[in-house]
Amino acid sequence: MEKKIVNILSFDVEDWYQGFVHRGIDGWQKYGSREISNINTILELLAKYDQSATFFILGSFANKNPEIVKLIHDARHEIASHSYSHVIIPEQTPEQFREDTKKSKDVLNNIIGEEIIGFRAPRWSLGVKYFWALDILAEEGFKYDSSIFPSNIYPFGNSKFSNEPCIVPLKNNRSIIEFPAQVFSVGSIRIPVGGGFFFRALPFWFTKVALLRSNQKFNYGMIYLHPFEFDIQTPIININFAFNRMRYYHLNKTGEYLENVLKEFKFNSINSLFKSEKDYSSFIPLYSRE
């Protein structure tokens, strides 16, 4: 059976200042919440082009902003988990990871009244040493994960992992489907592309070529962004040069680039794949850890 092309559009939803909190940077506290405006910008773009997306929402953010979660859900987009506390996996024990993940899932379940089936770790931090997290996710009822970046150029990345969705066998006859981040392969080098800073910093044609090549080779593509990347009037915090470039570079291009992508590609939320296929797993290869 011929595989259909699956392009995933996803957003990691958290407070605009989350990156500063993680790095112990002050100065953001005097500014108020900015998320509703950014979310509305995204939802208007998606509605304009009749596109669907998966929103990986931080549990602590959802607890404070249930109305935003409902707004996204009412617009018929998928709600998935982005953890509760935004702690990267390497900084957690398996027990802490399970507790945090369950807390996030419970919060989101209660807000939308539907089972949460997807997860994305903060900063794509599910590296090769932390596959135990996949076992925990499956045990907690998640059908899929999207936390692996198949590139050693990216922190926590794993260049040996598949470039396409795959079924990962787990303990006790369980399995989970992994939807990896988008990369662009040049020889043995896998360049991060199609998300966050890389989406803004690289020219649009590069993202387009990467998606087209991935569609041709793997029938797959992935775009991921954050709501703060649509905020062209975002507060400027005094930070070092490297983080400044990563945080602020080309924020005025995010909306334009996403609109260009939406014009040329059809995107899905991840949960729509499970709803539209009687057995979507039959379309996905099995991943070998060897």
Side-chain angles (χ1 to χ4, degrees):
M1 184 179 297
E2 183 180 356
K3 291 173 63 176
K4 69 177 183 178
I5 293 176
V6 173
N7 286 317
I8 301 300
L9 180 59
S10 60
F11 298 91
D12 295 354
V13 180
E14 58 203 39
D15 292 299
W16 67 271
Y17 49 79
Q18 186 66 55
F20 302 116
V21 173
H22 177 78
R23 292 168 175 82
I25 298 170
D26 289 324
W28 52 267
Q29 292 91 338
K30 60 184 177 181
Y31 300 100
S33 174
R34 307 180 62 82
E35 276 62 48
I36 187 63
S37 175
N38 301 330
I39 291 292
N40 278 328
T41 296
I42 293 169
L43 293 179
E44 288 168 6
L45 265 178
L46 298 182
K48 180 178 178 180
Y49 292 97
D50 192 25
Q51 301 269 28
S52 60
T54 294
F55 288 74
F56 293 94
I57 302 181
L58 195 67
S60 57
F61 174 88
N63 238 347
K64 296 183 296 182
N65 303 280
E67 71 285 353
I68 294 181
V69 180
K70 292 176 182 177
L71 178 69
I72 297 168
H73 184 252
D74 288 347
R76 301 182 180 276
H77 300 292
E78 178 186 9
I79 304 298
S81 171
H82 190 39
S83 82
Y84 187 86
S85 304
H86 207 271
V87 178
I88 60 175
I89 293 177
E91 294 179 358
Q92 298 181 78
T93 65
E95 293 75 19
Q96 290 171 331
F97 176 78
R98 186 188 298 274
E99 181 179 354
D100 185 87
T101 304
K102 287 179 65 175
K103 188 175 182 181
S104 172
K105 188 177 186 183
D106 289 345
V107 167
L108 295 170
N109 283 346
N110 290 336
I111 292 173
I112 69 171
E114 294 180 9
E115 186 72 10
I116 302 300
I117 66 170
F119 178 85
R120 175 172 293 161
R123 298 178 62 196
W124 298 84
S125 57
L126 207 161
V128 67
K129 296 180 181 179
Y130 307 101
F131 269 30
W132 50 259
L134 295 177
D135 290 299
I136 292 174
L137 290 173
E139 290 166 5
E140 296 302 327
F142 289 91
K143 292 185 178 181
Y144 75 84
D145 174 68
S146 183
S147 304
I148 296 179
F149 218 116
S151 168
N152 282 348
I153 295 177
Y154 190 85
F156 316 111
N158 176 12
S159 63
K160 294 182 179 180
F161 196 83
S162 171
N163 283 354
E164 63 180 322
C166 56
I167 302 170
V168 183
L170 303 172
K171 295 187 299 185
N172 300 320
N173 294 318
R174 290 189 174 93
S175 65
I176 196 165
I177 299 177
E178 180 66 34
F179 291 87
Q182 179 73 50
V183 295
F184 182 83
S185 297
V186 179
S188 61
I189 300 174
R190 295 178 176 182
I191 302 171
V193 63
F197 168 77
F198 309 104
F199 183 83
R200 293 180 274 120
L202 296 170
F204 169 69
W205 65 261
F206 196 96
T207 297
K208 180 179 177 179
V209 169
L211 284 172
L212 287 172
R213 182 185 289 186
S214 189
N215 284 178
Q216 292 166 359
K217 189 172 183 179
F218 304 113
N219 295 78
Y220 177 66
M222 165 78 77
I223 297 290
Y224 75 93
L225 294 164
H226 303 79
F228 80 80
E229 294 179 280
F230 293 81
D231 191 348
I232 60 176
Q233 296 180 323
T234 189
I236 305 299
I237 308 299
N238 184 23
I239 52 182
N240 65 53
F241 177 80
F243 185 41
N244 180 287
R245 299 304 283 173
M246 183 179 71
R247 174 73 188 201
Y248 295 116
Y249 187 70
H250 270 185
L251 290 183
N252 63 327
K253 295 291 186 180
T254 311
E256 174 190 336
Y257 285 0
L258 179 60
E259 186 158 16
N260 288 339
V261 168
L262 295 176
K263 289 176 182 177
E264 300 199 34
F265 295 87
K266 176 63 179 176
F267 290 92
N268 302 278
S269 61
I270 300 177
N271 69 344
S272 69
L273 307 177
F274 293 89
K275 294 175 181 178
S276 63
E277 302 291 348
K278 291 183 179 179
D279 182 13
Y280 185 75
S281 63
S282 66
F283 293 81
I284 303 180
L286 191 67
Y287 172 72
S288 173
R289 300 193 191 193
E290 297 180 359

